[in-house]
Amino acid sequence: MADLTTTFLGITTPNPFWLASAPPTDKEYNVRRAFEAGWGGVVWKTLGEDGPPIVNVNGPRYGVVYGADRRVLGINNIELITDRPLQTNLEEIARVKADYPDRAMIVSLMVPCEEQAWKRILPRVAETGADGIELNFGCPHGMSERGMGAAVGQVPEYIEMVTRWCKQNYDKPVIVKLTPNITDIRYPARAAKNGGADAVSLINTVSSIISVNLDDFSPEPSIDGKGSHGGYCGPAVKPIALNMVAEIARDADMRGLPISGIGGVTTWRDAAEFMSLGAGNVQVCTAAMTYGFRVVQEMIAGLSTWMDQKGYERTSDFIGRAVPNVTDWQYLNLNYVTKARIDQDACIKCGRCYAACEDTSHQAIWMKPGRVFEVNDAECVACNLCVDVCPVEDCITMERLPAGTVDPRTGKVVSDDYANWTTHPNNPMSRAAE
């Protein structure tokens, strides 16, 4: 059977599934239950310094976006970092790590952007025996208004400076957690690397307002008639997270920088996608909050079965495999031509493909008597919209035209030079075209 044992930053865990820093990792009771359920590691909910206590709201802290079947697609939260005493957290971390030496224990930290503040907290964290720290430079609400969280993560110079302080005062791995609330994720990632970070983790939550109550016109979740922007997470943010992970993984300036993937990981497939794009492991929050800690067992079983089917003996066999296939649009092969094909036996004659194509696309689907739908190759541009809106899986597929055939839409012969598109004369970005 496949071996899910994963080593990340020298920390070996029985599987690549960690719980992200969030409400599920706020106390000893939760973390022990998580480890008993099978999680490979946890990032303890963000700790702050001693001082004025953190006070969370006592009203609703979460807002949700549901799918048509009331499945949770995304959660918005306005919760701050831990409101429990620092010393209490540190004592619990030490006890749990001592009892579960084979699991990763990472401590998330957020203190003011002052070197002395970091110098005060780092030795206390080191005493717990934790395996490393994660610098929370991503929280977009509450703490960012106090000059921490995303307020640091949006300024590369601050990221580099604080990371360097931590590396100088802490001798175990330092992970920098990045905010997605930025134009180009590569700049903060480069700053983290320049500051000596051992890895980056991403993404943190997306700044958002989940909805508005149309009775009292307050953003949800509403606290006494008022609302605030919060952090959005869950399956809905996965595409954003995958792209940002890939941008870092394929950046030459960050080659070799380990990545912990976060953002909507709900199934084993999600994890495999993140890891194929360069993540050494994944962190999970929303799935655990939705389905409970035992959801990890399904992730473990699914990933193990898939690896067996593919012949992968260990996770390192497929980590990063998709990175070489991520490219800029200008290098996509314009000689690659496909056309939509409708399986008439599978078609339920709902007409969604026709409506979508006729009204909003390229009028490439005919509706014939008896509600029979056929593709007009001369107008089909292979946009894939019909495939996406069809309610029957695999009823509509895209068929690649063989090399040498004439594309009925353009009247041109489909080139057989697929492999060398980057140097093909038809590619306007190629040297040959010049």
Side-chain angles (χ1 to χ4, degrees):
M1 293 181 63
D3 182 4
L4 267 59
T5 301
T6 303
T7 299
F8 186 77
L9 301 180
I11 306 165
T12 300
T13 57
N15 61 66
F17 301 107
W18 293 10
L19 280 173
S21 169
T25 61
D26 189 33
K27 60 176 70 72
E28 180 177 358
Y29 176 82
N30 294 32
V31 175
R32 286 184 181 275
R33 286 178 59 83
F35 283 156
E36 289 301 314
W39 292 90
V42 302
V43 182
W44 201 276
K45 185 174 180 181
T46 306
L47 309 182
E49 63 177 350
D50 283 324
I54 296 294
V55 180
N56 273 292
V57 297
N58 288 315
R61 299 182 185 182
Y62 309 124
V64 176
V65 172
Y66 294 109
D69 58 356
R70 202 171 165 79
R71 182 172 300 180
V72 174
L73 300 181
I75 293 180
N76 167 292
N77 87 90
I78 58 171
E79 187 166 310
L80 303 181
I81 65 175
T82 184
D83 51 15
R84 304 167 67 240
L86 174 61
Q87 186 58 34
T88 299
N89 278 292
L90 295 175
E91 292 172 359
E92 293 182 0
I93 290 167
R95 286 196 295 268
V96 176
K97 179 57 188 176
D99 289 345
Y100 296 89
D102 65 328
R103 311 299 175 91
M105 174 65 75
I106 306 297
V107 179
S108 177
L109 297 175
M110 182 194 293
V111 298
C113 204
E114 303 166 357
E115 186 172 9
Q116 290 306 313
W118 290 97
K119 284 185 174 181
R120 285 192 297 269
I121 199 170
L122 290 171
R124 298 177 67 179
V125 173
E127 291 174 358
T128 66
D131 298 298
I133 59 174
E134 182 180 80
L135 310 185
N136 184 344
F137 293 156
C139 185
H141 58 275
M143 304 308 294
S144 59
E145 296 157 18
R146 310 178 194 194
M148 292 179 275
V152 177
Q154 291 168 337
V155 184
E157 293 81 3
Y158 291 173
I159 294 174
E160 182 175 345
M161 177 179 66
V162 177
T163 303
R164 185 169 287 113
W165 291 341
C166 292
K167 288 299 297 180
Q168 292 170 350
N169 294 280
Y170 185 73
D171 62 3
K172 287 186 177 180
V174 175
I175 304 170
V176 173
K177 190 172 186 179
L178 302 177
T179 176
N181 303 299
I182 196 163
T183 304
D184 192 331
I185 196 66
R186 293 174 298 177
Y187 291 101
R190 290 168 185 164
K193 184 176 182 181
N194 292 339
D198 297 286
V200 292
S201 59
L202 66 156
I203 57 174
N204 208 312
T205 54
V206 179
S207 186
S208 61
I209 291 178
I210 205 78
S211 62
V212 175
N213 184 313
L214 294 180
D215 290 322
D216 63 10
F217 296 99
S218 65
E220 300 282 5
S222 178
I223 306 297
D224 194 23
K226 301 290 184 182
S228 172
H229 74 276
Y232 190 53
C233 59
V237 309
K238 176 188 162 189
I240 299 170
L242 286 176
N243 175 62
M244 290 188 169
V245 166
E247 285 295 283
I248 293 173
R250 70 190 188 99
D251 189 293
D253 293 337
M254 289 173 285
R255 192 158 293 148
L257 180 66
I259 301 170
S260 184
I262 312 171
V265 177
T266 307
T267 68
W268 69 266
R269 182 179 294 275
D270 298 328
E273 290 176 12
F274 271 95
M275 295 169 75
S276 74
L277 285 172
N281 67 6
V282 293
Q283 296 184 34
V284 180
C285 171
T286 304
M289 294 178 71
T290 305
Y291 303 110
F293 285 148
R294 292 192 179 278
V295 70
V296 74
Q297 296 177 4
E298 296 181 13
M299 296 179 182
I300 291 170
L303 185 62
S304 179
T305 299
W306 174 75
M307 289 173 62
D308 286 340
Q309 292 172 345
K310 293 293 185 179
Y312 299 130
E313 297 180 359
R314 55 193 64 84
T315 57
S316 58
D317 290 345
F318 67 89
I319 289 175
R321 288 285 295 270
V323 176
N325 296 326
V326 182
T327 188
D328 295 332
W329 192 97
Q330 65 191 24
Y331 299 118
L332 296 179
N333 188 352
L334 301 188
N335 285 337
Y336 181 93
V337 179
T338 63
K339 299 294 180 182
R341 296 290 178 258
I342 300 174
D343 182 343
Q344 298 299 335
D345 293 330
C347 180
I348 61 174
K349 305 183 186 302
C350 67
R352 287 174 62 178
C353 61
Y354 172 78
C357 189
E358 187 71 13
D359 289 350
T360 69
S361 192
H362 293 83
Q363 298 77 53
I365 295 180
W366 288 311
M367 181 169 63
K368 296 191 171 182
R371 292 183 67 82
V372 174
F373 300 96
E374 293 183 358
V375 176
N376 175 5
D377 280 4
E379 297 299 330
C380 179
V381 300
C383 70
N384 209 54
L385 179 61
C386 56
V387 177
D388 295 333
V389 302
C390 179
V392 180
E393 188 173 5
D394 295 329
C395 175
I396 307 179
T397 56
M398 303 306 296
E399 179 183 84
R400 177 176 173 178
L401 296 188
T405 61
V406 176
D407 180 350
R409 181 172 178 271
T410 64
K412 296 181 179 179
V413 175
V414 177
S415 172
D416 59 356
D417 193 2
Y418 294 120
N420 301 305
W421 175 247
T422 55
T423 59
H424 194 279
N426 287 350
N427 181 354
M429 303 304 297
S430 71
R431 293 181 180 178
E434 296 176 0

